Amino acid sequence: MKKEDTVKLISAEGFEFVVDKEAAMVSQTIHNMLTSPGSFSERQHGEVTFPEISTTILEKICQYFYWHLQFASGKETEFPIEPELTLELMMAANYLHT
Amino acid sequence: MDMYIRVKRIKTTYFIRCKPSDKILDIKQYLEELIDQPVNNQRLILPGTGEVLDDSKTLADQKVENDAVVALTLRKDDNEFEEVNIVKPSDFYPSRDSDSANW
């Protein structure tokens, strides 16, 4: 795993999640940020800040990215979501096109 | 992809893809790429039990499973390792009680 192949996602509270680009690109929004032409600062520094997504939700989303990759490779497990996170998670997923 | 673990230190979480047969040393080598700290300066600890993970053993040997959280500590200037330090989002917002104590 090379540093260039990872991206740092930063939550509203400034917590950082370092994930594989392949995993983060499960999100269409992040995919667009990282691949669109031009010199987006996101692309240059490999960092994306989400001032509107709380740390708990962002971590859950990162777990979802990896679960998605595992599922795609044939590992059929359930993705657990705590009921109290559901609304906020859906709003974030909508924003991220995930 | 077999599994991943979440390696945490202070406010940062590294999602590391790995296999149950990976040795702890392998994980430290993945981390070295990301944090520019040689493997000798890294120590991985299970936050639940405080158990220090052994370089020569595999993740499966030490019951580190998919989605597990592992604490990373680094060697300090005085050659000792720092204490486990993982900040939780809830620590970040002081509770109402501690707020009112400051008034």
Side-chain angles (χ1 to χ4, degrees):
Chain A
M1 194 158 103
K2 291 272 184 292
K3 201 170 183 174
E4 306 86 74
D5 298 332
T6 64
V7 59
K8 188 183 276 183
L9 308 180
I10 305 173
S11 74
E13 296 88 9
F15 285 64
E16 300 176 345
F17 297 94
V18 178
V19 299
D20 288 277
K21 276 190 181 158
E22 185 192 351
M25 286 197 198
V26 168
S27 156
Q28 192 61 44
T29 304
I30 296 176
H31 183 276
N32 291 346
M33 285 172 175
L34 295 177
T35 56
S36 52
S39 55
F40 276 104
S41 63
E42 283 87 358
R43 195 176 171 196
Q44 284 181 334
H45 303 297
E47 283 186 14
V48 188
T49 306
F50 295 103
E52 289 169 358
I53 302 183
S54 72
T55 305
T56 314
I57 297 295
L58 192 57
E59 178 157 31
K60 200 76 190 170
I61 288 167
C62 293
Q63 288 172 286
Y64 173 77
F65 291 157
Y66 281 86
W67 177 86
H68 184 97
L69 295 183
Q70 289 175 331
F71 197 88
S73 62
K75 185 177 168 186
E76 296 193 19
T77 52
E78 302 237 329
F79 184 71
I81 294 175
E82 294 80 352
E84 64 272 22
L85 298 183
T86 311
L87 177 63
E88 217 184 323
L89 196 60
M90 281 174 61
M91 292 185 340
N94 180 43
Y95 169 66
L96 290 170
H97 295 274
T98 297
Chain B
M1 175 185 137
D2 285 321
M3 62 181 280
Y4 69 92
I5 57 171
R6 289 176 284 158
V7 177
K8 293 184 178 247
R9 177 172 176 267
I10 313 179
K11 288 175 78 176
T12 304
T13 303
Y14 302 92
F15 281 69
I16 306 290
R17 280 201 229 186
C18 47
K19 299 191 290 291
S21 58
D22 279 345
K23 294 199 166 69
I24 301 304
L25 189 61
D26 297 324
I27 303 296
K28 290 183 178 177
Q29 282 164 351
Y30 300 148
L31 282 167
E32 182 175 0
E33 289 278 343
L34 298 178
I35 62 175
D36 298 326
Q37 289 284 344
V39 294
N40 292 336
N41 287 355
Q42 303 175 24
R43 181 177 276 175
L44 294 173
I45 299 175
L46 290 178
T49 59
E51 185 189 343
V52 176
L53 297 174
D54 188 335
D55 278 358
S56 61
K57 291 189 183 164
T58 67
L59 293 170
D61 285 341
Q62 297 177 98
K63 305 272 185 296
V64 180
E65 294 174 342
N66 188 44
D67 194 43
V69 173
V70 177
L72 169 67
T73 65
L74 299 177
R75 201 186 287 277
K76 297 183 292 185
D77 293 339
D78 61 5
N79 227 14
E80 297 292 312
F81 279 93
E82 60 193 11
E83 296 289 309
V84 173
N85 180 4
I86 299 175
V87 184
K88 295 194 180 74
S90 53
D91 299 340
F92 204 69
Y93 292 116
S95 69
R96 255 170 220 277
D97 290 341
S98 63
D99 256 355
S100 57
N102 294 331
W103 285 92

